[in-house]
Amino acid sequence: MQRYSVITEKNPREIVLLRGRGCRYKRCAFCDYHEDASPDETENLLINECALSQVTGVYGVLEIVNSGSFCELGDDTIALIVETCRKHTIKTVHFECHWLYRNFIPQLRERFAKIGVAVKMKIGIETFDYDYREKVMLKGIREADPERLSADFDECCLLFGLPGQTVSSMKNDIETGMKWFERVCVNVMIENTAPLQPDNSVREAFTKEIYPLYKDNPRVDILLHNTDFGVG
């Protein structure tokens, strides 16, 4: 498992894949990432210390990813992230959070603001098609309005390559994401152990017709494979 990498294109930053207690929601039909988790806080901290020890502050920007939301990382790990940011003069730190835990975000922003670090929070919207997101993906986001969704978050993730998605729907999702969020991260679905599996024809349509439109857009990250950021 690779837990540290450096992203040099678009929004250059360092990225670490940390381990926590794991996603408490665990009901998304497409996801099996929650397997990278443990209730052993001591072991988790050792793993996270190793990843964070590689941070240099080269770009002054650090992205934290983990299975689940930032609030499912141990308190000691959050404290270590704070110390890492202080030590390496990190000015911006990115986290991920499920909609269900949005009320925990202000406290995190305040904690990092005290050391001069801006928090950018990312939400896995997956699609702005409410019925598809909630009836097919089972995402658990009981809000359809993109403006309201963006109120607590700065960035969003989208997931493409699934049955029923079209060129039109994928383009609409990206454009909606760019309208309401600072940045959009597109993930293209690959096979895993979850119930909802990719549709290769949709994947091919994305690669042929959508990818060329946004591959050079500085606000859009595109992961054709889930390890394209160098971690995982």
Side-chain angles (χ1 to χ4, degrees):
M1 182 76 74
Q2 181 69 31
R3 294 189 178 273
Y4 170 83
S5 185
V6 179
I7 299 167
T8 58
E9 298 181 357
K10 300 183 179 181
N11 191 29
R13 61 203 184 273
E14 293 173 274
I15 183 169
V16 288
L17 171 61
L18 304 184
R19 196 174 80 174
R21 296 179 293 273
C23 177
R24 281 176 282 184
Y25 181 69
K26 290 189 181 75
R27 291 191 285 278
C28 296
F30 55 85
C31 183
D32 63 359
Y33 292 167
H34 52 77
E35 295 176 359
D36 183 35
S38 172
D40 189 332
E41 297 282 8
T42 301
E43 185 178 348
N44 289 342
L45 182 59
L46 289 173
I47 288 172
N48 297 340
E49 284 177 335
C50 181
L52 288 165
S53 70
Q54 299 175 71
V55 172
T56 66
V58 60
Y59 294 120
V61 183
L62 176 63
E63 181 166 0
I64 308 293
V65 294
N66 63 288
S67 171
S69 303
F70 74 87
C71 51
E72 289 153 346
L73 293 169
D75 292 340
D76 289 342
T77 289
I78 295 294
L80 185 58
I81 296 169
V82 171
E83 179 55 32
T84 300
C85 289
R86 181 187 290 112
K87 178 180 179 181
H88 296 291
T89 321
I90 301 295
K91 296 301 182 184
T92 305
V93 61
H94 299 252
F95 286 97
E96 297 180 345
C97 183
H98 193 284
W99 168 255
L100 296 174
Y101 311 121
R102 62 195 181 280
N103 292 334
F104 292 98
I105 297 173
Q107 184 178 358
L108 186 79
R109 292 191 192 276
E110 182 179 349
R111 182 172 183 177
F112 278 86
K114 289 178 180 179
I115 62 167
V117 178
V119 167
K120 297 295 184 180
M121 194 61 63
K122 182 185 293 185
I123 179 175
I125 294 290
E126 319 309 351
T127 178
F128 291 97
D129 180 331
Y130 181 84
D131 286 340
Y132 191 90
R133 187 178 69 227
E134 300 309 319
K135 295 178 181 179
V136 178
M137 293 180 162
L138 308 180
K139 185 66 187 185
I141 301 177
R142 304 303 181 188
E143 177 57 65
D145 186 347
E147 183 175 10
R148 292 181 180 177
L149 287 169
S150 67
D152 298 294
F153 298 88
D154 308 289
E155 306 171 343
C156 72
C157 284
L158 301 173
L159 182 62
F160 296 155
L162 294 170
Q165 292 181 320
T166 65
V167 169
S168 176
S169 73
M170 290 185 285
K171 184 175 181 181
N172 180 68
D173 277 339
I174 295 176
E175 291 297 325
T176 303
M178 292 178 66
K179 178 178 179 179
W180 294 108
F181 295 85
E182 295 175 15
R183 297 188 59 80
V184 174
C185 181
V186 174
N187 294 278
V188 180
M189 183 72 180
I190 62 170
E191 290 185 3
N192 60 17
T193 62
L196 184 60
Q197 289 296 294
D199 181 324
N200 286 333
S201 66
V202 179
R203 284 171 48 87
E204 290 171 4
F206 172 83
T207 302
K208 180 180 179 180
E209 301 190 46
I210 301 295
Y211 178 71
L213 299 177
Y214 299 99
K215 66 182 180 67
D216 296 320
N217 190 305
R219 293 176 54 207
V220 181
D221 288 318
I222 300 176
L223 283 75
L224 297 177
H225 191 280
N226 58 5
T227 58
D228 281 351
F229 277 161
V231 295

